[in-house]
Structures are given as C-alpha cells and as structure tokens.
Amino acid sequence: MARKVTDGPVRNKERTKSNLITSLGEILKKDGFSGLSISRVADVAKVDRRLIYDYFGSLEGLVKEYLNTNDYWKISPEEIGDIVLSSEGDAGKTLAYNVLENQFDSLIKNEEMRRIITWGLSEKLPILKELDLKRENIGNQVLSAVFDKHFEGSDKNFRAMYALLMGGVYYLTLHAKMQENPFCGVDLQQPSGQEEIKKALKQLIDLAYA
C-alpha cells in the first residue's frame, strides 16, 4: 500500500497561506489594522516576506483573502434557494431573528470581527467597500426573495426596521467591548445583559410581524 503523501509543494503552499492569514489576524487583534505591514506579517508568520507577494500579490491581497475567510456574513449565493424554501412556513420570521442573533453572537465574541467592522467605519478603502457591497448584495437577494412579498401593501417598511436592528447590534457590540460600559443600563459584558438584548430583538421581530 502506497504511503500517504503528507507534504509537498501544494500542501506546503496552502499551509503557508493559512499561516499568513492567521498571523494577520493575530496582529489585528493586538494592534488593529494600523499595525499591519508586509514585514510585520512575515515576522509573525516566520516566513520570507516574498511569499506574501508570491501567494497574494500584495499586502492588500492578503488582507482581502483574510476578510473573505473571516467575514461573519457566511451566506453564499448558492444557499439563497434553500434559505427561501426553509423560510416559507413563517414568511422569514425565524430567519430574521436568527440572522440578528448570529450577528450579535459573532461580534460580541470575536475581536477580529469587531476590528473589521471598526476599520470599515473609519477608513474608505476599496477592499472594505467591496466586502460591504458583497454583504449588501446577498442581503438584498434574501430580502427580496423572503421578506418583500410578505410586507407588500403593509404600512411597515421592514427593510428600514431591519436596518435599525442590525445597526443597533453593530453599535451595541462595539460599544460593549471598546468602552466596557453599560448602555441604557444594560451591561453587555454580562451574559444576562446579552440575553436581554437578544430577547428584545426577538420581541421587535414579533412586533414587525404582528
């Protein structure tokens, strides 16, 4: 029986690429995006800096790959059909809450994700705009396929309501971890405070569908 090949140029390349992406994330969590440079990433990854150019073309290429790999918004275009089918029973009500809850949990637990959001709000860069438009495009497809029909003819603008809820999740999670202070008396540093926010999100979705 032939021995399984566990090493080689292709495997080594993928391992090195993964190492570089992970190293970029470590720098991000410690120092933010201002701490990023070709030499710094190479030092943390313990590889020759030329490999970043060979595998990603530039630091921007590495950052783009990092963002695509680590973005919390994981819905792909191929999944939209299944999402639509699974949401028909309640016109997307469960989906609407689950997306908010998953976004909240991802951001409250993941420093890297919060750094990405903060970076996107503080700097106008093509790679960040591209990532934002990618999320927006997929989100718009889901809204069109699942929610628009249900709220058609209603006096409720579900898109606007949902934008406020999503924006609230963004701000509350960033505020909780950056300022570490309560907001309106709710302490999101504590699990009990986090549960209260998620409970309120569910109640607001219920009101939207009432």
Side-chain angles (χ1 to χ4, degrees), residues 130-191:
E130 181 182 333
L131 181 67
D132 187 63
L133 287 175
K134 175 184 170 184
R135 294 192 201 117
E136 178 65 16
N137 181 54
I138 293 175
N140 187 56
Q141 290 181 60
V142 174
L143 285 164
S144 297
V146 178
F147 302 101
D148 286 353
K149 183 177 180 180
H150 178 74
F151 287 94
E152 185 178 3
S154 167
D155 63 348
K156 297 173 182 175
N157 186 331
F158 181 77
R159 285 176 177 251
M161 297 167 74
Y162 207 62
L164 288 170
L165 293 175
M166 286 192 127
V169 167
Y170 271 55
Y171 184 80
L172 287 174
T173 51
L174 294 175
H175 180 275
K177 293 301 181 178
M178 296 180 76
Q179 301 300 328
E180 299 182 341
N181 292 325
F183 195 91
C184 291
V186 181
D187 188 357
L188 272 74
Q189 297 296 317
Q190 302 300 322

Side-chain angles (χ1 to χ4, degrees), residues 79-95 146:
E79 296 176 288
I80 293 176
D82 290 337
I83 290 172
V84 172
L85 288 175
S86 65
S87 301
E88 287 180 347
D90 63 357
K93 182 178 178 181
T94 299
L95 173 66
V146 178

